Amino acid sequence: MYTMNEIIWPKGYLPGKTDNFASNEIIVANLSAADVWEYLNDTSKWESYYSNVDTIRFHNVKGPELSQGAHFRFNTFGFPIEAEVVEYEPPTANKPARLAWHGWEEGSTESDALHVHHAWLLEDLSEGRVRILTQETQNGKAAKEMAETTPNPMINGHQEWIDGLAKAVAKKRS
């Protein structure tokens, strides 16, 4: 029997207890967590495989690679997002890669604030497969509106992100 790892959630961001939740996952053959990590960790590659992100810049580190505690800004889903990397674990032979940031809408006020916890898990599986999991919980007025939209734009957007990520890595390897 094989047990897959799961996202580690901070207080206030547990799925089912937030205003919106999106979960997207794919399992791809002939890729590794290390292969995928290179394209996820380097934000200068994001725009090459994901159309819903732009204007990435860093505040307290040079970038474009992410790191623990890195503060960065980007546009996505029509929102300017400020973010701080709160979990950063590159993959090893025995552990999956973990990446998570806490983000908030730049310029928002307390009454309309959008706060998110966006987490990634890249896990090597048996027979040369990799699992790419991304999940995001959100709180705030905009999160409530997205949760009521069918289909949920977060589900569609994040699916584009993980599909594009896997295709970009596979293309590099071929």
Side-chain angles (χ1 to χ4, degrees), residues 67-81:
S67 59
Q68 183 69 38
H71 288 247
F72 65 109
R73 182 204 180 279
F74 62 103
N75 293 328
T76 188
F77 293 96
F79 296 100
I81 299 294

Side-chain angles (χ1 to χ4, degrees), residues 2-43:
Y2 182 79
T3 302
M4 292 185 182
N5 287 283
E6 61 184 304
I7 301 295
I8 300 167
W9 294 102
K11 185 176 181 174
Y13 290 90
L14 185 64
K17 302 280 187 174
T18 59
D19 293 326
N20 194 21
F21 171 66
S23 181
N24 298 77
E25 174 180 35
I26 58 174
I27 296 176
V28 183
N30 303 317
L31 295 180
S32 71
D35 296 330
V36 178
W37 179 260
E38 176 187 343
Y39 274 70
L40 180 59
N41 182 52
D42 184 347
T43 63

Side-chain angles (χ1 to χ4, degrees), residues 90-150:
T92 66
N94 300 320
K95 286 183 154 182
R98 293 181 176 278
L99 175 64
W101 55 79
H102 175 81
W104 57 95
E105 184 180 1
E106 179 184 69
S108 62
T109 64
E110 182 137 349
S111 64
D112 70 357
L114 171 66
H115 284 267
V116 306
H117 184 80
H118 192 142
W120 294 83
L121 183 77
L122 309 176
E123 184 173 19
D124 287 322
L125 302 175
S126 64
E127 300 183 35
R129 301 170 302 141
V130 66
R131 175 184 180 218
I132 303 171
L133 172 66
T134 188
Q135 296 182 327
E136 180 170 315
T137 56
Q138 305 173 330
N139 288 309
K141 180 182 174 187
K144 290 175 186 174
E145 291 170 1
M146 282 188 275
E148 293 174 0
T149 303
T150 303

Side-chain angles (χ1 to χ4, degrees), residues 22 24 49-53 76-77 118 120 134 136 151-165:
N24 298 77
Y49 62 83
Y50 183 44
S51 68
N52 194 24
V53 67
T76 188
F77 293 96
H118 192 142
W120 294 83
T134 188
E136 180 170 315
N152 186 318
M154 298 303 299
I155 296 290
N156 290 342
H158 289 166
Q159 192 65 42
E160 178 193 338
W161 198 342
I162 65 174
D163 288 343
L165 174 59

